[in-house]
Every structure is written in C-alpha cells, then in structure tokens.
Amino acid sequence: MEETVTALQAAWPIGTRVRLIAMDGVQAPAPGTCGTVTGVDDIGQVHVVWDTGSTLALLDGIDTWERI
C-alpha cells in the first residue's frame, strides 16, 4: 500500500487541476466538474476541492478523472 500511496502522491501533487469523468455515489459531483488536488492520504484517496465547493475524494481504481 505504501508504494501505491507514494505513486499517487507523485502522480497527483497538491495543486494539480483535475476534471471528473466518472464517480459513483449520490454525493458525487457531475461528470466534467473540475477541482484542485489538496493531497493524497495514507490509504490512497486523492483529496480534491471541487469548484462546486465539495471536498469529496477520488478513489484510484474506482473513480475516473484526468489532469487538466
């Protein structure tokens, strides 16, 4: 798990702008919503402050997003 977290931190550094492609869940932002990465936690969640004001994290291997 530590290697995965390190790889995610390298791939998605703080300040990276992202665009959501797909996320399951009733609280998920709409596809196309953009946001800014605020960090990657110890379990590999990529935390994002979405432009909508939401702070829902991305889950590697479950959610889909891209760098913008």
Side-chain angles (χ1 to χ4, degrees), residues 2-3 6-7 9 11 15 18 20 26 32 37 43 45 50 58 61 66:
E2 188 175 325
E3 290 177 7
T6 301
Q9 289 170 332
V18 295
L20 183 65
V26 295
V37 174
I43 61 172
Q45 296 180 106
W50 298 100
L58 295 162
E66 64 186 356

Side-chain angles (χ1 to χ4, degrees), residues 7-18 36-40 46 67:
L8 286 169
Q9 289 170 332
W12 304 104
I14 293 170
T16 301
R17 294 284 292 164
V18 295
T36 304
V37 174
T38 60
V40 177
V46 179
R67 182 182 317 270

